[in-house]
Amino acid sequence: MRRTVALAFSGGLDTSVCVKWLQEKYDMDVVTVTLDLGQRDDLHEIEKRSKLIGAKNHYTVDAKAEFLKDYVLPAVKANALYEGKYPLSTALGRPLIAKKLVEVAEMEGATAVAHGCTGKGNDQVRIDVTVRAMNPSLQVIAPVREWNMSRDEEIIYAQKMGIPVKPSKSIYSVDQNIWGRSIESGPLENPDTEPPSDAFEWTSSPEDAPDEPGYLELGFQEGVPAKVNGRSMEPLKLVTYVNDFAGSHGVGRIDHIEDRLVGIKSREVYECPAASVIIEAHKDIEKLVLTRHELDFKAHVEREWAWLVYSGLWLEPLRLALDRFISATQHRVTGSVRMKLFKGSAWVVGRSSDYSIYNVDLATYSRSSTFDQKSAVGFIELWGLQSRVAAGLNSQVEEKKENGHPRTKAKKAQ
Ligand code: ARG
């Protein structure tokens, strides 16, 4: 019996060529799988294309709600920014793509899964590792990693195999989902070149953004963004709204040098309006309601969480354990944050919460403060105790050195 492979299919040139190549080189039936992660593609068009190229079956999986609930919201609670900048939009989508591929493969009785990732990036690692953790009996095939064809060779192969090749709309390599848009290649490969304006689709350039600032009030419920300007919204609607609103103010462009898992440094450009604004607001409300100790420790956990997700270890038990810690910190993260957006910038201008630890009576410099300033004296006495003792000992050491400390003498004699 002919074996079957489930292929993650975007409808682009790479994965279209993959269909034929798997049929030809591996002698397999190909079932294609396309996830809707909010990437704004024409999913009917992709399905039609899959059939046209000759896939045995095609699945369109609406995974938006699952993506938000199980991947994006944990990332919000974790303030997840890889290397302090990247909200992990592509990285969060990959393990879910792998999960759905495995599910379809199992449904179809397939012996393998396949994807169109190259051997130079992080995405291959994220998909391979997740598939193998979920079902070690499935073979993972990555044709692009094996065939070593240039883009022109791919086009020739496609024409030879009767695959219709659409003229490429863009010189960029783009991956997008509801949490953001990753833009690579073309002129962006020179890290010293400003991204041309045609690289961006979700954000207007700050120069063209409205001349009046916009305000956005985000309400959080136990760490989850749940309200916009006082109105309750479910996550998909909320993230879509914030993407559009922040994008229209030119907010959410990210340009940084990133360390890929495979050792390559790359110049990465992203548009993540909702992610940038929501994480900034979430961090701010946390500073209002969490203690210094919680914030301090959580920052370490956040860094580790982002690293595990970036590096493809979504199913690593440590990530799950860190998620439990993070969730435990979110019970008081309820309240609202008001942001001002203006020509590419977004900043917090107000916040409030029933769980605020900020106490105006304590903080105020006015006479009415309930903070007893005299108690600071005893605190300072004890706070500096060890530093004081150590400083005293240091000055004794210095004195000994100047008066001919034995070690100093011995060195001089050499
Ligand atoms: N550097 C980002 C990441 O590793 C984005 C990758 C974009 N992938 C793509 N196929 N264009 O998550």
Side-chain angles (χ1 to χ4, degrees), residues 86 90-91 94 122-123 126 173 175 182 184 258 268 270:
Y86 165 41
T90 294
R94 299 308 179 194
N122 301 310
D123 291 332
R126 296 168 183 151
S173 157
D175 176 69
S182 308
E184 289 173 331
E258 187 169 297
E268 298 286 334
Y270 302 100

Side-chain angles (χ1 to χ4, degrees), residues 9-169:
F9 186 70
S10 70
L13 179 66
D14 284 340
T15 53
S16 298
V17 170
C18 281
V19 175
K20 284 285 176 215
W21 196 84
L22 287 163
Q23 290 168 339
E24 197 194 24
K25 294 273 184 311
Y26 278 82
D27 192 27
M28 285 176 158
D29 283 330
V30 181
V31 170
T32 49
V33 185
T34 305
L35 263 65
D36 181 2
L37 295 177
Q39 69 269 36
R40 314 182 190 186
D41 280 339
D42 184 340
L43 298 163
H44 291 294
E45 199 49 48
I46 293 174
E47 172 162 8
K48 273 202 331 228
R49 194 167 162 80
S50 157
K51 295 274 165 66
L52 186 75
I53 300 170
K56 192 181 118 196
N57 205 351
H58 177 80
Y59 289 79
T60 302
V61 185
D62 181 357
K64 294 193 291 292
E66 183 173 353
F67 183 50
L68 275 158
K69 178 173 152 291
D70 294 341
Y71 298 76
V72 171
L73 294 180
V76 171
K77 293 179 186 172
N79 297 321
L81 295 172
Y82 178 62
E83 295 187 327
K85 288 268 194 173
Y86 165 41
L88 296 168
S89 38
T90 294
L92 287 162
R94 299 308 179 194
L96 183 53
I97 293 174
K99 182 180 173 209
K100 297 295 170 194
L101 265 185
V102 171
E103 285 172 9
V104 169
E106 288 171 351
M107 246 171 348
E108 287 276 334
T111 54
V113 299
H115 57 74
C117 305
T118 76
K120 281 186 149 183
N122 301 310
D123 291 332
Q124 51 168 349
V125 183
R126 296 168 183 151
I127 296 186
D128 289 23
V129 166
T130 309
V131 169
R132 294 172 69 176
M134 285 186 71
N135 185 340
S137 71
L138 285 170
Q139 182 186 3
V140 186
I141 309 172
V144 178
R145 215 162 46 190
E146 288 182 29
W147 68 38
N148 232 340
M149 281 190 266
S150 68
R151 195 175 164 84
D152 288 341
E153 286 163 340
E154 278 184 52
I155 293 174
I156 293 168
Y157 180 85
Q159 282 162 346
K160 198 179 90 197
M161 302 307 274
I163 303 170
V165 179
K166 294 179 289 185
S168 178
K169 288 191 303 244

Side-chain angles (χ1 to χ4, degrees), residues 266-335:
S266 63
R267 192 277 186 90
E268 298 286 334
V269 175
Y270 302 100
E271 291 178 280
C272 303
S276 304
V277 165
I278 292 171
I279 290 176
E280 187 64 20
H282 181 263
K283 275 188 190 168
D284 188 86
I285 187 92
E286 281 192 330
K287 289 177 91 168
L288 185 68
V289 301
L290 299 185
T291 66
R292 172 197 293 176
H293 308 286
E294 286 176 303
L295 289 168
D296 231 34
F297 191 76
K298 186 167 180 279
H300 296 288
V301 172
E302 289 171 355
R303 209 179 122 92
E304 188 62 28
W305 195 94
W307 165 243
L308 291 172
V309 173
Y310 185 80
S311 64
L313 300 180
W314 178 257
L315 290 182
E316 159 65 44
L318 178 60
R319 200 270 306 162
L320 296 163
L322 297 182
D323 259 335
R324 282 186 213 111
F325 165 79
I326 291 168
S327 289
T329 63
Q330 299 298 293
H331 300 309
R332 285 177 278 120
V333 185
T334 295

Side-chain angles (χ1 to χ4, degrees), residues 147-393:
W147 68 38
N148 232 340
M149 281 190 266
S150 68
R151 195 175 164 84
D152 288 341
E153 286 163 340
E154 278 184 52
I155 293 174
I156 293 168
Y157 180 85
Q159 282 162 346
K160 198 179 90 197
M161 302 307 274
I163 303 170
V165 179
K166 294 179 289 185
S168 178
K169 288 191 303 244
S170 158
I171 46 171
Y172 304 105
S173 157
V174 172
D175 176 69
Q176 56 191 32
N177 62 44
I178 185 92
W179 204 226
R181 184 167 179 268
S182 308
I183 316 141
E184 289 173 331
S185 75
L188 304 178
E189 282 179 0
N190 180 347
D192 201 22
T193 300
E194 180 174 349
S197 56
D198 67 355
F200 300 106
E201 282 186 9
W202 289 15
T203 52
S204 52
S205 75
E207 292 88 336
D208 299 334
D211 292 328
E212 290 297 315
Y215 286 87
L216 182 73
E217 186 166 312
L218 283 175
F220 288 89
Q221 182 70 41
E222 300 204 12
V224 173
K227 278 187 186 174
V228 173
N229 303 329
R231 264 187 40 226
S232 295
M233 270 190 206
E234 47 90 22
L236 178 60
K237 223 170 141 204
L238 186 145
V239 173
T240 307
Y241 178 88
V242 179
N243 265 332
D244 291 346
F245 183 74
S248 74
H249 282 279
V251 168
R253 294 186 176 184
I254 298 158
D255 179 342
H256 85 142
I257 299 297
E258 187 169 297
D259 288 286
R260 285 194 195 159
L261 184 53
V262 292
I264 296 171
K265 269 196 191 288
S266 63
R267 192 277 186 90
E268 298 286 334
V269 175
Y270 302 100
E271 291 178 280
C272 303
S276 304
V277 165
I278 292 171
I279 290 176
E280 187 64 20
H282 181 263
K283 275 188 190 168
D284 188 86
I285 187 92
E286 281 192 330
K287 289 177 91 168
L288 185 68
V289 301
L290 299 185
T291 66
R292 172 197 293 176
H293 308 286
E294 286 176 303
L295 289 168
D296 231 34
F297 191 76
K298 186 167 180 279
H300 296 288
V301 172
E302 289 171 355
R303 209 179 122 92
E304 188 62 28
W305 195 94
W307 165 243
L308 291 172
V309 173
Y310 185 80
S311 64
L313 300 180
W314 178 257
L315 290 182
E316 159 65 44
L318 178 60
R319 200 270 306 162
L320 296 163
L322 297 182
D323 259 335
R324 282 186 213 111
F325 165 79
I326 291 168
S327 289
T329 63
Q330 299 298 293
H331 300 309
R332 285 177 278 120
V333 185
T334 295
S336 65
V337 178
R338 203 164 60 259
M339 301 196 70
K340 186 167 177 171
L341 292 80
F342 186 60
K343 289 197 178 290
S345 298
W347 62 100
V348 176
V349 292
R351 71 287 281 162
S352 66
S353 167
D354 289 346
Y355 302 101
S356 169
I357 294 176
Y358 175 90
N359 183 329
V360 76
D361 267 2
L362 293 174
T364 181
Y365 281 111
S366 81
R367 275 186 167 280
S368 64
S369 177
T370 50
F371 186 94
D372 181 358
Q373 298 197 33
K374 286 194 225 64
S375 35
V377 179
F379 165 71
I380 293 165
E381 183 71 19
L382 302 184
W383 176 243
L385 180 62
Q386 295 198 358
S387 305
R388 233 169 31 241
V389 174
L393 292 170

